[in-house]
Every structure is written in C-alpha cells, then in structure tokens.
Amino acid sequence: MALLTAVGLLLSWLESWLVPAIAIPGVKPGLANLATVLALFWFGRRDALAVSLARVLLAGLLFGSLSSLLYALSGALLALAGMALARRSDRLGPVGISALGGVLHNAAQLSLAALVAKTPGLLGYFPILFLAGTLTGLLNGVLSLAVLKRVK
C-alpha cells in the first residue's frame, strides 16, 4: 500500500507538470487515480481509501494549496465511493470502474466550485468535464487493467 501511495504521489507530481499543457480548464489526466484503482482491486475499499487519502493529503501539502487540497479531496472521496460500489456489484471491470471514477471526480469538484463560488451556472460546464472524465478514466482503466494482468 505504501508503494501504491508513493506511485500515486509521483503521478500527481508528474500531472502538476502536464496540466499547464492541457488547454481545457479543469481537465487533468487523473493518472494518480491509477493507484486507487489498483488498491481497490488488490486490497479492497478500506485500503483503497487509505491509499487515496494519503496520496491526496501528501500531494496537497507538497504541491498544492488548501483550496486545491479540498477540491482534490472532494473528487477523490466521491470517486472512490462510486468505484467501491461498482466493484461490489461485480458488473464492471477496471476500465468501467475507472471511467466512473473519472466522471464522479469531476462532478464532485465542479459541484464544490459551484457551491463555493455561489455560481450554479458553473454546472453548465459539466458536459465537457463528463466527456473528459470518461476519456481519462477509460485511459487510466486500460492502464490499470494492464497492470492487474501482469502483477498478481
């Protein structure tokens, strides 16, 4: 679990370098979620929660601000809750679960932004973030599946 947390933290750091290159505000690859998906499949929801919380808190303290930490935490918690429920049903594999996590992560962050800014109109941005979360979640799911197949 410590290794997954470290990998997630490293991926968060790499993302902090990639994000300025992406032209769409609020869109990130979500590569650090790879650690959470792997923890969910290898160890279960409690350990995935521990990995996710540790990664988000450490990344927030090392590379972010209090507000970025709160946004990341809201996204991580909703994403993990949805992914854990989907994992229990056994109907979705890593790719589908990761895509769900990407969408829920964006939904939580956008909802928090609309609440904090007292601007419900921000929710109109959701279709763009829905598409971005789905695509990045699918990519991360494919990467997760590849790791899960190779590492038992």
Side-chain angles (χ1 to χ4, degrees):
M1 285 179 28
L3 182 59
L4 283 175
T5 302
V7 166
L9 189 58
L10 175 64
L11 292 171
S12 289
W13 178 74
L14 288 173
E15 271 191 356
S16 71
W17 289 87
L18 291 175
V19 170
I22 298 173
I24 304 169
V27 175
K28 292 179 13 177
L31 295 172
N33 193 45
L34 202 60
T36 304
V37 173
L38 293 172
L40 183 61
F41 275 83
W42 281 333
F43 304 115
R45 65 183 178 271
R46 284 189 185 155
D47 291 338
L49 177 63
V51 167
S52 186
L53 286 176
R55 175 188 56 82
V56 167
L57 292 172
L58 288 169
L61 292 171
L62 293 170
F63 326 120
S65 63
L66 180 59
S67 65
S68 67
L69 174 64
L70 292 175
Y71 282 100
L73 194 56
S74 71
L77 290 174
L78 184 61
L80 181 58
M83 291 189 304
L85 283 172
R87 177 78 173 117
R88 283 183 75 187
S89 76
D90 243 0
R91 298 184 96 168
L92 290 177
V95 176
I97 286 175
S98 179
L100 175 65
V103 169
L104 291 174
H105 186 92
N106 286 347
Q109 288 190 332
L110 188 59
S111 297
L112 181 60
L115 186 68
V116 167
K118 297 179 180 149
T119 310
L122 284 176
L123 297 175
Y125 194 51
F126 185 69
I128 293 167
L129 291 182
F130 179 87
L131 179 62
T134 301
L135 294 175
T136 58
L138 288 171
L139 171 66
N140 289 324
V142 169
L143 292 172
S144 297
L145 184 60
V147 172
L148 289 167
K149 284 183 176 180
R150 286 170 180 71
V151 180
K152 298 292 177 191

